């Protein structure tokens, strides 16, 4: 269990999404909160099959890695998820996760409501804004509280680790992580 759960939605080892999410994690930990990064590497996430089972048992009927994350996410005050841009949209598994997570939470008292966080997007060149907007849809309909930063939560890189060279992107993510932590602490007062 951790105060903030962060998901890295890339299948690549030591990829840019993981780097970007780790930047947010470090900023959160600097404020004294605990943070846990969960990687989707090696964890395929299927799409929702609209079976409605989650309303009956609180879990998803598709028995993949999503169910293993539910308790961690439910217990946390913060939720951040990062995605690489694939053909102008978020990687499919990331949206599969967001849609099924949103459905499970909604069908069981909307337990995502009030969590603080937001999406993070990495790309080589284009598609970042539409991807950010696509991911935000799930945050807003679930009544989560999305933090801003000095820019939108995007960072550029292609080969694994490239994103470290995007200084403005990294500074944006540091401030975003810091804002998430500050708001969680403020809401606890
Ligand atoms: C299938 C696929 C599609 C991609 N489509 C885009 C794209 O539309 N726009 C873009 O800027 N980069 C695109 N990329 C590049 C990735 O977004 C970029 O390499 C990113 O840093 C990968 O993140 P990762 O290292 O966390 O996996 C694509 C990569 C793959 C594998």
């Amino acid at each position: 269990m951790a105060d903030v759960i962060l998901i890295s939605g890339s299948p690549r080892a030591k990829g840019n999404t993981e780097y970007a999410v780790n930047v947010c994690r470090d900023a959160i930990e600097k404020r004294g909160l605990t943070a846990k990064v969960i990687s989707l590497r090696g964890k395929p996430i299927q799409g929702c099959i609209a079976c409605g089972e989650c309303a009956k048992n609180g879990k998803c009927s598709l028995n993949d890695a999503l169910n293993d994350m539910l308790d961690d996410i439910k217990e946390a005050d913060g939720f951040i998820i990062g995605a690489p841009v694939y053909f102008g949209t978020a990687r499919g598994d990331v949206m599969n996760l967001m849609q099924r997570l949103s459905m499970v939470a909604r069908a069981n008292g909307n337990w995502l409501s009030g969590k603080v966080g937001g999406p993070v997007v990495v790309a080589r060149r284009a598609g970042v804004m539409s991807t950010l907007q696509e991911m935000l849809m799930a945050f807003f309909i679930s009544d989560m509280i999305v933090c801003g930063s000095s820019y939108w939560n995007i960072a550029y890189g292609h080969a694994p680790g490239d994103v470290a060279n995007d200084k403005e992107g990294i500074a944006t993510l540091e401030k975003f992580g810091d804002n998430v932590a500050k708001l969680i602490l403020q809401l606890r007062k």
Side-chain angles (χ1 to χ4, degrees):
M1 299 296 167
D3 296 315
V4 181
I5 297 297
L6 306 94
I7 293 179
S8 166
S10 169
R12 293 206 289 185
K14 299 189 189 306
N16 292 313
T17 309
E18 190 179 312
Y19 189 99
V21 160
N22 285 344
V23 168
C24 301
R25 176 203 58 198
D26 292 349
I28 290 162
E29 287 179 343
K30 263 192 195 157
R31 288 269 171 195
L33 294 181
T34 56
K36 176 178 172 183
V37 173
I38 299 171
S39 172
L40 295 192
R41 177 171 154 75
K43 300 189 188 97
I45 307 287
Q46 302 175 64
C48 180
I49 57 168
C51 64
E53 287 295 313
C54 55
K56 297 176 197 156
N57 60 27
K59 294 243 171 193
C60 185
S61 69
L62 299 172
N63 208 15
D64 60 20
L66 176 75
N67 276 339
D68 300 334
M69 302 171 200
L70 287 178
D71 287 343
D72 271 348
I73 298 171
K74 192 173 182 179
E75 292 305 312
D77 291 324
F79 179 68
I80 292 170
I81 181 164
V85 174
Y86 281 6
F87 293 100
T89 54
R91 177 174 179 247
D93 286 40
V94 171
M95 292 314 294
N96 286 347
L97 187 151
M98 289 304 287
Q99 291 161 5
R100 283 171 55 204
L101 171 65
S102 302
M103 187 57 100
V104 172
R106 199 174 185 80
N108 293 281
N110 202 19
W111 52 253
L112 282 172
S113 174
K115 294 194 191 301
V116 178
V120 167
V121 174
V122 306
R124 180 183 74 83
R125 187 173 182 84
V128 286
M129 297 313 294
S130 50
T131 300
L132 200 63
Q133 288 161 6
E134 180 189 20
M135 294 171 75
L136 277 170
M137 300 305 276
F139 278 88
F140 287 136
I141 198 171
S142 292
D143 195 28
M144 288 191 268
I145 305 167
V146 175
C147 285
S149 182
S150 47
Y151 203 76
W152 298 291
N153 293 341
I154 59 177
Y156 289 102
H158 189 23
D162 271 358
V163 79
N165 300 318
D166 177 4
K167 300 295 176 216
E168 185 180 2
I170 297 303
T172 302
L173 297 178
E174 279 169 354
K175 188 162 180 56
F176 168 66
D178 188 51
N179 282 343
V180 168
K182 273 197 296 193
L183 185 54
I184 289 172
L185 290 168
Q186 197 66 32
L187 288 169
R188 283 180 182 173
K189 282 183 184 164

